Amino acid sequence: MLLELDFSSQTPIYQQIRNQIVLAVAEGRLKDGQRIPSVRTLADESGINMMTVNKAYQLLRQEGYLQIDRRSGARISIPVSSIFLSSHPEGAVVTAAVNQLRPQLELLISEARLHGVSQELFLSTCCEIFHRQKEV
Amino acid sequence: MLLELDFSSQTPIYQQIRNQIVLAVAEGRLKDGQRIPSVRTLADESGINMMTVNKAYQLLRQEGYLQIDRRSGARISIPVSSIFLSSHPEGAVVTAAVNQLRPQLELLISEARLHGVSQELFLSTCCEIFHRQKEV
Amino acid sequence: MLLELDFSSQTPIYQQIRNQIVLAVAEGRLKDGQRIPSVRTLADESGINMMTVNKAYQLLRQEGYLQIDRRSGARISIPVSSIFLSSHPEGAVVTAAVNQLRPQLELLISEARLHGVSQELFLSTCCEIFHRQKEV
Amino acid sequence: MLLELDFSSQTPIYQQIRNQIVLAVAEGRLKDGQRIPSVRTLADESGINMMTVNKAYQLLRQEGYLQIDRRSGARISIPVSSIFLSSHPEGAVVTAAVNQLRPQLELLISEARLHGVSQELFLSTCCEIFHRQKEV
DNA sequence: GTGGTCTAGACCACC
DNA sequence: GTGGTCTAGACCACA
């Protein structure tokens, strides 16, 4: 369980934890059903407060990335959409997901373009990230 | 100067202002050298605090999107990279820009994939946004 | 003895057990005097801790839904009120029961109304549940 | 802002706060757009911790009952469904709401029946609560 | 002024 | 052992 936390970052710690876990799931470093450290353990290991870790876990739970079990702690839970719907790209759920991400993507592309990033370079970067996530 | 602010959003007001201006620049609704309202004017129009607008403007100035002159007020300033370097996609400056955006893009793609968004759909969405920004 | 436990649910396991037994009694799937598995048996079958099952049984005993006898194990016990008083709807015991459930019902109705559920729909849902419980 | 908190209750304080606010909204004691005390103020008045109040507010925000604004604190927000959809009882959103409440309602009715509450008495109690909420 | 975040430490409920 | 809740107090970001 490798977490790289930047305590002087603008983004709150619980957000960093959340982001890194989502990334790890997407890259396959964390698999469906896999157990991750309990709130206490992770807090001790990382030298941060239990409440902070808990906040990250609750956030992940709400988003469907985590299932929290009183018996065995926390387990990764990959939302069905990524498994079931990957072959139905026209599905309403997927469309909703795209629409939700669109504003962020628009902003990201704006910043890229204004810094001289061509469409080709941007798209190839996306491809590269996709491939890396699939492979790993 | 159309600003759509969501006061109950999680993202701070000054960040919303900054984002919308960046977007407007990328979409050509704001052009290089164009004057935008002074801090005071915009604050009055939007009914928000001057300090908030000022923070957004300072942020934009730091990022190079704005030039603030005590005499002529604030003017949009499109970074040279987007003009000059667009034909040198291998340039160091551009590479730096990509590397800076990459973590955000990785996270965005992670979330998209985990919600069932296929690479094709994601790329076509990117293309669509690129085209829309170029046209407008 | 069918128990559907959701280990990642917010409601504690012992509460889930208790709820499902109450529901089964109301729907006639468990009848008055019927024996149900011992604490140990149920715990083994469900793969949960004996202490947890015991807690559920003690709760049910307190509420009058269960009689626990060291010799014959646990037996369902339908409170007399539901048999004896059903024809005396004005009885003090029944009134007490209604008053006890009222706060929960008020909250439930509040949430229903605020989500656009009309009185007609709510009442017809109640009727449906009543009929289903009587039939089964 | 009247809150009746039972510190020795089983239900957590933040849950009690949440429930009472939902009830107050349904009964019209709190109206759409109305401001409610800030986290700090309510905490001070009630003698409970800021974090606890904050948790309740965040919960209400997630459920759509509250809008939190950095400028003016918290304001009641009645979900559109209760206004817009009340005349479309067949809507999918409403159906979803009913289905979500159904398990709780089934349990409540089970307990009622097993305590001798007749269908008539239950339904009339529901009617009474509905009318009281509409009137007030 | 507001809410957002984080800490250190406590107690309890659940399993 | 686990997570859930709560406290008292702190600092920061935002408006």
Side-chain angles (χ1 to χ4, degrees):
Chain A
M1 195 61 193
L2 291 176
L3 280 186
E4 292 185 6
L5 300 177
D6 176 0
F7 293 98
S8 60
S9 163
Q10 295 274 44
T11 61
I13 298 181
Y14 79 93
Q15 196 52 270
Q16 292 183 43
I17 298 176
R18 179 264 178 198
N19 288 348
Q20 292 191 25
I21 290 184
V22 170
L23 200 59
V25 171
E27 291 182 349
R29 283 181 284 125
L30 290 176
K31 299 198 188 337
D32 190 53
Q34 183 171 344
R35 287 180 55 181
I36 63 173
S38 75
V39 171
R40 262 189 186 70
T41 309
L42 185 52
D44 287 349
E45 283 178 359
S46 313
I48 54 183
N49 191 283
M50 250 180 53
M51 296 282 279
T52 306
V53 180
N54 188 49
K55 188 163 184 175
Y57 277 27
Q58 292 300 331
L59 185 56
L60 287 162
R61 189 177 64 86
Q62 285 179 331
E63 297 180 301
Y65 295 120
L66 208 58
Q67 282 194 330
I68 297 178
D69 184 332
R70 276 194 192 74
R71 302 174 309 167
S72 56
R75 292 198 319 280
I76 295 296
S77 154
I78 299 185
V80 285
S81 49
S82 57
I83 304 167
F84 187 65
L85 298 171
S86 57
S87 49
H88 302 73
E90 313 290 331
V93 179
V94 175
T95 310
V98 171
N99 286 334
Q100 200 193 334
L101 297 173
R102 182 184 288 266
Q104 295 170 66
L105 193 55
E106 282 177 349
L107 189 58
L108 212 56
I109 290 179
S110 296
E111 298 183 89
R113 285 187 61 226
L114 292 175
H115 283 86
V117 179
S118 67
Q119 179 171 350
E120 291 71 34
L121 179 54
F122 190 89
L123 292 181
S124 70
T125 306
C126 288
C127 285
E128 184 200 325
I129 294 172
F130 260 98
H131 286 131
R132 211 162 57 86
Q133 292 196 359
K134 285 179 195 164
E135 286 174 13
V136 184
Chain B
M1 194 62 189
L2 291 176
L3 281 186
E4 291 186 7
L5 301 176
D6 177 1
F7 293 104
S8 60
S9 161
Q10 298 267 49
T11 60
I13 308 283
Y14 82 94
Q15 193 58 266
Q16 292 184 44
I17 298 176
R18 179 264 178 196
N19 289 348
Q20 293 193 23
I21 290 184
V22 170
L23 200 62
V25 171
E27 292 181 348
R29 283 181 284 126
L30 291 176
K31 299 201 185 340
D32 191 51
Q34 182 171 345
R35 287 185 58 182
I36 62 173
S38 73
V39 169
R40 182 182 301 272
T41 309
L42 185 52
D44 287 349
E45 283 177 0
S46 314
I48 53 185
N49 198 301
M50 257 179 57
M51 299 285 282
T52 307
V53 180
N54 188 54
K55 185 159 186 174
Y57 277 26
Q58 291 304 327
L59 184 56
L60 287 161
R61 203 186 104 258
Q62 282 183 329
E63 297 179 305
Y65 295 118
L66 208 59
Q67 281 194 331
I68 299 179
D69 182 345
R70 199 171 285 104
R71 297 169 304 167
S72 56
R75 288 179 183 281
I76 297 296
S77 152
I78 300 184
V80 285
S81 49
S82 59
I83 304 165
F84 186 67
L85 298 171
S86 57
S87 50
H88 302 72
E90 313 291 329
V93 180
V94 174
T95 312
V98 171
N99 286 334
Q100 200 195 332
L101 297 174
R102 183 184 288 267
Q104 296 171 64
L105 194 54
E106 282 178 348
L107 190 57
L108 212 56
I109 290 179
S110 297
E111 297 183 273
R113 284 189 60 227
L114 292 175
H115 285 85
V117 179
S118 67
Q119 179 172 350
E120 290 72 31
L121 180 53
F122 190 89
L123 292 181
S124 71
T125 305
C126 288
C127 284
E128 185 200 323
I129 293 172
F130 260 98
H131 286 131
R132 214 163 57 86
Q133 293 196 358
K134 284 179 196 163
E135 286 174 14
V136 183
Chain C
M1 195 60 191
L2 290 176
L3 281 185
E4 290 186 6
L5 301 177
D6 177 0
F7 292 104
S8 60
S9 161
Q10 298 267 48
T11 60
I13 308 284
Y14 82 94
Q15 194 56 267
Q16 292 183 44
I17 299 176
R18 179 265 178 195
N19 288 348
Q20 292 192 24
I21 290 184
V22 170
L23 199 62
V25 172
E27 292 181 348
R29 284 181 284 124
L30 290 177
K31 300 201 185 336
D32 191 51
Q34 182 171 345
R35 286 185 57 183
I36 63 172
S38 72
V39 169
R40 183 182 300 272
T41 308
L42 185 53
D44 286 351
E45 282 178 0
S46 314
I48 53 184
N49 198 301
M50 258 178 57
M51 301 285 282
T52 307
V53 181
N54 188 53
K55 185 158 186 175
Y57 278 26
Q58 290 303 329
L59 184 57
L60 286 162
R61 204 186 104 259
Q62 283 184 328
E63 297 179 305
Y65 294 119
L66 209 58
Q67 281 194 331
I68 299 178
D69 181 346
R70 200 170 285 103
R71 298 170 304 167
S72 56
R75 288 179 184 280
I76 296 297
S77 152
I78 300 185
V80 285
S81 50
S82 59
I83 304 166
F84 186 66
L85 298 171
S86 57
S87 50
H88 301 72
E90 313 290 330
V93 179
V94 174
T95 311
V98 171
N99 285 334
Q100 199 194 333
L101 297 175
R102 183 184 288 266
Q104 295 171 65
L105 194 55
E106 281 177 351
L107 190 58
L108 212 56
I109 290 179
S110 296
E111 296 183 272
R113 284 188 60 226
L114 292 175
H115 285 85
V117 179
S118 67
Q119 179 170 352
E120 290 71 33
L121 179 54
F122 190 88
L123 291 182
S124 70
T125 306
C126 289
C127 285
E128 184 200 324
I129 294 172
F130 260 98
H131 286 131
R132 214 164 58 86
Q133 293 196 358
K134 284 179 195 165
E135 286 174 14
V136 184
Chain D
M1 195 63 191
L2 291 177
L3 280 186
E4 292 185 7
L5 300 177
D6 177 0
F7 293 97
S8 61
S9 162
Q10 295 274 44
T11 61
I13 297 181
Y14 79 94
Q15 196 53 270
Q16 293 183 43
I17 298 176
R18 180 265 178 196
N19 289 348
Q20 293 191 25
I21 289 184
V22 170
L23 200 60
V25 171
E27 292 181 349
R29 284 181 284 126
L30 290 176
K31 299 200 188 338
D32 191 54
Q34 184 171 345
R35 288 181 55 180
I36 63 173
S38 75
V39 172
R40 263 188 185 72
T41 309
L42 185 52
D44 286 349
E45 284 178 358
S46 313
I48 54 184
N49 192 284
M50 249 180 54
M51 296 281 279
T52 306
V53 180
N54 188 50
K55 190 163 183 173
Y57 277 26
Q58 291 301 331
L59 186 55
L60 287 162
R61 190 178 65 87
Q62 284 179 330
E63 297 181 302
Y65 295 119
L66 209 58
Q67 282 194 330
I68 297 177
D69 184 331
R70 275 192 193 74
R71 302 173 308 166
S72 56
R75 291 198 319 279
I76 295 296
S77 153
I78 300 185
V80 285
S81 50
S82 58
I83 304 167
F84 187 67
L85 298 170
S86 57
S87 49
H88 302 72
E90 313 290 329
V93 180
V94 175
T95 311
V98 172
N99 286 334
Q100 201 194 333
L101 298 173
R102 182 184 287 266
Q104 295 170 65
L105 193 56
E106 282 176 350
L107 190 58
L108 213 56
I109 289 179
S110 296
E111 298 183 88
R113 285 187 60 226
L114 293 174
H115 284 86
V117 179
S118 68
Q119 179 171 349
E120 290 70 32
L121 179 53
F122 190 88
L123 292 181
S124 70
T125 305
C126 287
C127 284
E128 185 201 324
I129 294 172
F130 260 98
H131 286 131
R132 210 163 58 86
Q133 292 196 1
K134 285 179 195 165
E135 287 173 13
V136 184

